[in-house]
Amino acid sequence: MTHPHGTPNAGQVTLSLVVPVFNEEDSLDGFLLRIQQVFEREALIDLELVFVNDGSTDATLERLLQRQQSDSRLRIVDLSRNFGKEAALSAGLHTASGQIVVPIDVDLQDPPEVILQMIERWREGFEVVLGHRISRRSDTWAKQTSAHWFYRLHNRIAEQPLPEDVGDFRLMDRCVVDALLTLPESRRFMKGLFAWVGFRTTHVEYERPERVTGKSKFNGWRLWNFALEGITSFSTEPLRVWTYLGALVSLVSFAFAMFIVVRTLIYGIDLPGYASLMVAVTFLGGLQLIGIGVLGEYLGRTYIEAKRRPVFLVRRIYDPKD
Ligand code: UDP
Ligand code: MG
């Protein structure tokens, strides 16, 4: 591919890795070692490591500060509490200064070598390079299937489809990061926002390994809420479906009413009907409650957005200089 301005991104480049960390004292050393191995021979890449301490309660921050003493590439954003990975990523994007930015997990599930391939594609002129997992073998069966169904549903009803098997691990050009930072919403479903901003996009493939140290912070309930967040952030389809469902149910009950009237005219009054009555009452009651629940879900989100609270709060940024 040729770049529209005829200037592929050759030469020296500054790369910011954005690393959210939440209770990861055991994963830091392994991560920094791998980064060292991958980037030590890359003379054209000036590396900056933006760690976002997402309210860790273990020694993560102390370890990071210790490493910073001897490694001036580390910048540490210390959040005031645990805000969740999405918010931590936003904080990191705000702080990162590189020409290209890559969010990466500290548990080495996003192999750092892949970044070199991403940079090659960026040099060809792409602004976004997604990390596409060719296998989810490291995930459980339940996570794989639920993820698959989530993407099917989401992509069916959202304006902008989400690429499947793509996480937060991706390369972004400065222009993409700046675009993301202009988005005002405070409920941030990063995957969706990443897709929404667009830009010239390609992908590289990689195999996602198991987490090496520590354990995953996303359990089933958290993932379910994450999926709800994704769908309600990018589609209002669940609100509209009630109109059609309501119309359908009314139509059916109208037909049923006609049937009863005609039958009564022909065969006379027939009192038993307790079962059908109960079924209709409970079915419609349930349907209405679900409808109200969906309304509540969106109303709640509107309420939170209306408060205009910041996405995260920073206690302090530690730059190598100070
Ligand atoms: N993380 C975070 N805040 C949280 C949960 C997770 O910053 O509230 C970080 C975590 O330290 C790791 C990354 O997000 O660097 C991915 O988390 P994890 O490996 O638990 O997620 P999974 O790989 O299971 O999806
Ligand atoms: Mg992980």
Side-chain angles (χ1 to χ4, degrees):
M1 195 185 112
T2 50
H3 199 267
H5 316 297
T7 47
N9 301 309
Q12 201 73 20
V13 60
T14 50
L15 164 68
S16 301
L17 298 186
V18 172
V19 199
V21 281
F22 175 48
N23 293 343
E24 300 279 10
E25 54 180 11
D26 298 327
S27 312
L28 289 175
D29 286 344
F31 176 75
L32 285 166
L33 182 69
R34 271 283 283 285
I35 294 293
Q36 189 57 33
Q37 289 164 350
V38 171
F39 289 99
E40 61 190 349
R41 270 186 292 279
E42 300 296 326
L44 287 179
I45 302 173
D46 292 325
L47 192 60
E48 168 189 73
L49 291 157
V50 180
F51 282 94
V52 184
N53 178 33
D54 188 16
S56 300
T57 50
D58 63 358
T60 301
L61 180 64
E62 289 71 31
R63 297 261 168 102
L64 283 171
L65 289 170
Q66 218 171 11
R67 295 297 297 241
Q68 196 184 42
Q69 302 284 318
S70 55
D71 191 342
S72 63
R73 297 171 306 178
L74 261 66
R75 299 176 71 201
I76 305 159
V77 184
D78 188 27
L79 299 186
S80 65
R81 63 169 169 86
N82 178 257
F83 280 91
K85 186 185 175 188
E86 307 296 296
L89 274 181
S90 293
L93 293 182
H94 269 277
T95 313
S97 64
Q99 259 171 292
I100 49 182
V101 178
V102 178
I104 182 169
D105 288 359
V106 75
D107 58 8
L108 293 174
Q109 285 195 287
D110 304 328
E113 306 78 62
V114 178
I115 299 173
L116 299 180
Q117 299 170 38
M118 290 178 170
I119 293 178
E120 268 165 42
R121 306 311 304 274
W122 174 78
R123 290 199 189 279
E124 293 164 16
F126 287 102
E127 292 146 335
V128 177
V129 186
L130 308 173
H132 184 255
R133 313 171 193 163
I134 38 177
S135 94
R136 289 181 82 104
R137 254 179 305 156
S138 63
D139 285 338
T140 59
W141 176 84
K143 193 166 174 182
Q144 284 179 40
T145 356
S146 56
H148 178 67
W149 282 100
F150 165 72
Y151 284 109
R152 284 199 55 174
L153 179 66
H154 186 280
N155 291 348
R156 172 158 273 211
I157 64 183
E159 249 176 80
Q160 211 51 42
L162 281 183
E164 196 168 340
D165 293 333
V166 167
D168 297 324
F169 186 41
R170 64 187 60 216
L171 177 148
M172 288 176 283
D173 187 89
R174 176 53 36 197
C175 62
V176 181
V177 176
D178 288 343
L180 279 171
L181 294 180
T182 63
L183 300 182
E185 57 248 77
S186 50
R187 300 293 296 253
R188 297 181 87 81
F189 181 67
M190 291 309 276
K191 273 184 201 221
L193 297 180
F194 285 152
W196 186 86
V197 294
F199 290 96
R200 209 174 296 120
T201 304
T202 184
H203 67 264
V204 295
E205 297 192 328
Y206 73 102
E207 187 113 19
R208 190 166 172 86
E210 306 251 10
R211 201 181 222 283
V212 270
T213 42
K215 59 180 195 306
S216 170
K217 274 126 202 125
F218 290 87
N219 57 25
W221 181 243
R222 233 176 138 161
L223 283 173
W224 162 255
N225 282 315
F226 192 54
L228 269 189
E229 184 79 42
I231 286 179
T232 51
S233 295
F234 285 90
S235 168
T236 50
E237 220 51 40
L239 284 173
R240 299 178 54 212
V241 65
W242 296 99
T243 317
Y244 301 102
L245 207 63
L248 189 75
V249 172
S250 313
L251 215 69
V252 172
S253 27
F254 184 72
F256 188 55
M258 293 317 278
F259 165 74
I260 292 175
V261 167
V262 170
R263 196 183 56 174
T264 312
L265 288 178
I266 299 173
Y267 297 108
I269 294 173
D270 146 41
L271 196 57
Y274 174 76
S276 57
L277 204 66
M278 275 320 272
V279 168
V281 167
T282 51
F283 175 69
L284 285 178
L287 216 59
Q288 282 164 353
L289 284 180
I290 298 173
I292 294 173
V294 173
L295 283 179
E297 195 72 37
Y298 280 94
L299 186 64
R301 263 151 237 269
T302 316
Y303 175 59
I304 298 217
E305 285 300 339
K307 285 196 281 197
R308 312 239 117 252
R309 284 201 185 133
V311 181
F312 54 85
L313 290 175
V314 176
R315 179 178 294 118
R316 183 166 164 197
I317 297 183
Y318 299 87
D319 274 321
K321 300 162 273 300
D322 38 65

